[in-house]
């Protein structure tokens, strides 16, 4: 049997880092301190970037800008933009779109991290709904259309790269937003499951995949669920299922690390991917000059070292991951006598097929033996690619 291996260069799984809330307010030194070691080890960081951050009372706004109610476009921080552009050239980072201004409403209660109870609270312990902290909550279709487009344009002009992935503020999504993502050729990175389908126009739902997910849920076949979950609609939706956040308290850090290891090994079993989600400013709570959340940093490095030393990973950006998944889904593999014909609409460097039996392959190909299988690694060109095999 011959199958398509999900990742390039016969890698066992894909791994990305997503950092949310980068904006005009970010000091590049904050990023260097957290990510230098990651970059040295070949990891890539995908920054979900706020194009025109509003000075509300949100914790992702530094205290001296809070409640200014002004807008701060990312390009006005020229030092940060130059730093990021250099990192793009070095292929160490990627820019995704994180809404437009993140939060618009200036009348919501101010939040704070309660480090003792590991929960988010308000100053007066009021009840609050985090969805309301999204600029798109309750917004009309016109606001959504204009600002998703405008945000994308700001980022594309600033960084001179195409923006392909959207991360919603507070991961809040509705039908109008979903439609605008489709109109702007953006994939969605965030939690997305059967329940999220209520936020999608009905004619855009892929019912076959929906039934497959429901069925596999019933029979507890979790291995393939993620694959179908990404294709529940006409827009690719990619989850980041592991959150490395501020509420690692000192007595639960070990549990947190074990949870990370479990998440990784579950994904490894199904040859899946893991996106580690974190927020740079949480390490400096509340916008201190130095890292204040030492455990958060310590376990971030520990997690990266663990995957780096124990697994054969494809370290990619979220944009690369999205692009690879959507392209590989469109590959046609056909076996005709002693020839394997792979048809692709895209170039795919490092494309890998997995050979389960004792099948020989002409020796011009790079064949890797690993985990008692043979992997043929090749650079796929647009159109037909042929491999001679002998059974
Ligand atoms: Zn955010």
């Amino acid at each position: 049997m011959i199958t398509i291996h999900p990742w390039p260069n016969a890698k066992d799984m894909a791994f990305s880092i997503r950092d949310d809330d980068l904006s005009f307010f970010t000091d590049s030194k904050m990023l260097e301190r957290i990510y230098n070691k990651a970059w040295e080890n070949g990891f890539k960081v995908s920054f979900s970037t706020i194009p025109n951050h509003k000075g509300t009372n949100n914790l992702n706004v530094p205290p001296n800008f809070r409640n200014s109610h002004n807008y701060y476009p990312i390009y006005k921080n020229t030092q940060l933009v130059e730093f990021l552009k250099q990192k793009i050239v070095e292929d160490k980072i990627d820019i995704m779109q994180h809404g437009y201004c993140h939060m618009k409403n200036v009348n919501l209660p101010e939040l704070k991290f309660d480090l003792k109870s590991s929960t988010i609270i308000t100053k007066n312990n009021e009840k609050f709904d985090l969805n309301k902290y999204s600029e798109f909550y309750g917004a009309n279709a016109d606001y959504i259309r204009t600002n998703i487009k405008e945000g994308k344009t700001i980022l594309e002009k600033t960084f001179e790269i195409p923006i392909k992935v959207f991360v919603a503020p507070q991961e809040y999504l509705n039908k109008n937003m979903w439609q605008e993502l489709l109109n702007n050729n953006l994939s969605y990175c965030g939690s997305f499951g059967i329940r999220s389908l209520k936020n999608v126009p009905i004619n855009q739902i892929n019912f076959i995949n929906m039934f497959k997910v429901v069925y596999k849920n019933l029979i507890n076949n979790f291995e393939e669920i993620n694959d179908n979950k990404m294709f529940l609609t006409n827009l690719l939706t990619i989850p980041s299922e592991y959150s490395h956040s501020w509420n690692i308290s000192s007595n639960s850090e070990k549990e947190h690390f074990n949870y990370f290891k479990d998440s990784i090994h579950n994904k490894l079993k199904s040859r899946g991917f893991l996106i580690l989600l974190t927020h740079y400013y949480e390490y400096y709570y509340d916008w201190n000059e130095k890292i204040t959340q030492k455990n958060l940093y310590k376990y971030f490095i520990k997690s990266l070292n663990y995957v780096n030393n124990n697994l054969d990973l494809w370290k990619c950006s979220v944009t690369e991951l999205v692009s690879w998944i959507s392209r590989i889904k469109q590959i046609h593999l056909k076996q005709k006598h002693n020839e394997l014909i792979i048809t692709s609409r895209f170039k795919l460097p490092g494309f890998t097929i997995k050979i389960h039996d004792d099948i020989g392959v002409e020796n011009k190909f790079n064949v890797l033996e690993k985990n008692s299988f043979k992997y043929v690694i090749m650079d796929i060109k647009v159109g037909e690619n042929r491999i001679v095999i002998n059974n």
Side-chain angles (χ1 to χ4, degrees):
M1 190 170 62
I2 293 172
T3 53
I4 296 173
H5 183 71
W7 307 117
N9 301 311
K11 295 292 179 190
D12 290 333
M13 69 177 284
F15 184 84
S16 307
I17 300 166
R18 166 182 143 190
D19 184 319
D20 281 11
D21 296 343
L22 182 110
S23 78
F24 166 86
F25 301 118
T26 313
D27 182 341
S28 61
K29 286 193 202 86
M30 298 172 89
L31 306 178
E32 273 188 307
R33 231 173 268 134
I34 303 172
Y35 294 119
N36 259 347
K37 284 206 174 110
W39 286 326
E40 272 169 26
N41 285 313
F43 289 96
K44 298 187 184 182
V45 186
S46 296
F47 289 107
S48 80
T49 306
I50 307 165
N52 196 10
H53 207 169
K54 186 174 181 181
T56 61
N57 65 10
N58 205 298
L59 289 171
N60 61 19
V61 176
N64 47 346
F65 289 92
R66 261 174 222 162
N67 296 313
S68 73
H69 304 176
N70 293 327
Y71 286 83
Y72 301 88
I74 179 107
Y75 52 79
K76 287 210 169 156
N77 187 341
T78 50
Q79 198 277 332
L80 173 72
V81 171
E82 286 315 308
F83 171 84
L84 294 170
K85 278 175 126 174
Q86 181 56 33
K87 289 280 181 265
I88 292 171
V89 171
E90 292 166 15
D91 201 18
K92 289 179 174 163
I93 69 149
D94 158 30
I95 304 286
M96 303 184 287
Q97 181 179 355
H98 195 33
Y100 173 73
C101 70
H102 206 282
M103 172 172 161
K104 209 171 37 160
N105 191 338
V106 294
N107 299 314
L108 292 168
E110 191 172 335
L111 304 174
K112 65 178 198 178
F113 295 152
D114 185 13
L115 297 167
K116 276 192 192 124
S117 68
S118 291
T119 50
I120 299 178
I121 55 170
T122 70
K123 284 221 159 111
N124 308 318
N125 268 320
E126 300 131 278
K127 276 198 176 154
F128 61 94
D129 174 2
L130 270 179
N131 282 329
K132 290 187 180 167
Y133 288 73
S134 161
E135 62 183 300
F136 299 112
Y137 183 89
N140 61 32
D142 206 39
Y143 177 91
I144 292 170
R145 185 168 49 247
T146 314
N147 289 284
I148 288 184
K149 194 167 177 57
E150 174 66 11
K152 187 175 183 236
T153 305
I154 290 176
L155 296 180
E156 289 185 334
K157 280 197 177 150
T158 304
F159 296 104
E160 297 170 286
I161 50 164
I163 301 297
K164 306 267 195 192
V165 185
F166 185 90
V167 173
Q170 310 302 148
E171 296 214 341
Y172 169 79
L173 188 66
N174 63 32
K175 280 189 181 138
N176 286 328
M177 289 170 73
W178 190 97
Q179 189 58 52
E180 284 317 311
L181 301 188
L182 190 70
N183 294 349
N184 285 286
N185 265 325
L186 290 160
S187 299
Y188 180 75
C189 180
S191 324
F192 196 92
I194 297 284
R195 275 192 223 128
S196 320
L197 290 175
K198 66 176 188 296
N199 302 319
V200 174
I202 193 150
N203 59 341
Q204 303 289 349
I205 296 173
N206 182 336
F207 283 98
I208 296 177
N209 278 345
M210 190 191 96
F211 289 122
K212 279 186 188 164
V213 171
V214 173
Y215 173 71
K216 281 174 185 159
N217 255 324
L218 289 175
I219 60 169
N220 284 333
N221 181 350
F222 289 108
E223 283 200 359
E224 287 169 62
I225 281 179
N226 279 315
D227 183 44
N228 288 316
K229 254 186 175 174
M230 291 188 290
F231 298 95
L232 281 169
T233 74
N234 294 341
L235 186 136
L236 183 72
T237 55
I238 186 165
S240 48
E241 288 165 312
Y242 174 80
S243 172
H244 188 77
S245 64
W246 65 275
N247 52 6
I248 301 180
S249 65
S250 54
N251 46 10
S252 70
E253 60 193 47
K254 271 210 181 85
E255 282 164 42
H256 193 84
F257 185 57
N258 285 337
Y259 176 62
F260 173 75
K261 286 198 282 188
D262 287 348
S263 308
I264 274 287
H265 286 283
N266 279 334
K267 296 295 172 188
L268 183 66
K269 255 190 262 163
S270 58
R271 297 282 174 255
F273 62 87
L274 192 80
I275 301 174
L276 180 150
L277 164 63
T278 194
H279 294 75
Y280 71 96
Y281 65 91
E282 290 181 359
Y283 296 76
Y284 300 88
Y285 184 67
D286 188 12
W287 292 82
N288 223 288
E289 287 232 332
K290 291 194 176 128
I291 291 176
T292 54
Q293 305 309 303
K294 298 225 165 81
N295 277 328
L296 189 61
Y297 179 68
K298 181 178 145 193
Y299 276 86
F300 175 65
I301 297 297
K302 206 171 160 171
S303 302
L304 293 192
N305 285 342
Y306 179 81
V307 291
N308 204 31
N309 297 334
N310 295 292
L311 304 170
D312 188 19
L313 295 177
W314 179 38
K315 296 166 189 161
C316 56
S317 71
V318 176
T319 302
E320 287 173 316
L321 185 64
V322 163
S323 157
W324 185 269
I325 290 170
S326 60
R327 288 175 175 198
I328 204 125
K329 195 81 181 166
Q330 298 176 51
I331 290 262
H332 273 274
L333 189 74
K334 199 166 73 181
Q335 199 175 334
K336 213 172 166 187
H337 310 298
N338 65 339
E339 219 181 19
L340 196 67
I341 305 163
I342 303 160
T343 315
S344 174
R345 290 171 50 209
F346 309 95
K347 278 187 187 173
L348 286 171
F351 175 80
T352 305
I353 55 170
K354 182 178 179 183
I355 300 181
H356 300 248
D357 320 296
D358 205 16
I359 299 172
V361 175
E362 56 184 318
N363 51 19
K364 67 175 183 181
F365 290 104
N366 174 11
V367 179
L368 186 78
E369 294 203 23
K370 181 164 100 163
N371 317 327
S372 65
F373 293 105
K374 269 188 285 190
Y375 296 87
V376 182
I377 302 170
M378 58 198 292
D379 293 334
I380 288 278
K381 56 180 177 30
V382 177
E384 279 190 354
N385 300 260
R386 292 166 184 269
I387 309 178
V388 177
I389 51 170
N390 50 349
N391 288 300

